[in-house]
Amino acid sequence: VAARLAEAGREDERVDVLAEVAALDGADAGTAAVLARAFVGRGDLGRARQYLTAETAGDDAGLWLALAEAHLA
């Protein structure tokens, strides 16, 4: 569902669907990473913080910078 929403350019709805998935399965680091990237991309560090961990940041330098910023704020 999320992939189809992305293909249709319905990013807000895609993020809503992924947030529901993350709420049901908090152990899914892949979904959390996608959500963290989406919220960081929107400049919404508050919401990104819910999903930012060392595991979700992985090798994404942008997420590491957001994670550092979140911890310093």
Side-chain angles (χ1 to χ4, degrees), residues 28-34 36-37 51-60 63:
D28 184 354
T31 299
V34 170
R37 277 188 211 94
Y51 305 103
L52 279 171
T53 65
E55 183 180 13
T56 60
D59 61 358
D60 186 319
L63 288 183

Side-chain angles (χ1 to χ4, degrees), residues 8-60:
R10 296 164 57 184
E11 184 63 20
D12 290 340
E13 292 171 81
R14 174 182 170 259
V15 170
D16 290 342
V17 167
L18 290 172
E20 289 180 33
V21 169
L24 294 172
D25 183 7
D28 184 354
T31 299
V34 170
L35 286 165
R37 277 188 211 94
F39 291 123
V40 167
R42 294 177 179 179
D44 189 348
L45 190 56
R47 290 202 61 198
R49 186 177 293 159
Q50 298 174 32
Y51 305 103
L52 279 171
T53 65
E55 183 180 13
T56 60
D59 61 358
D60 186 319

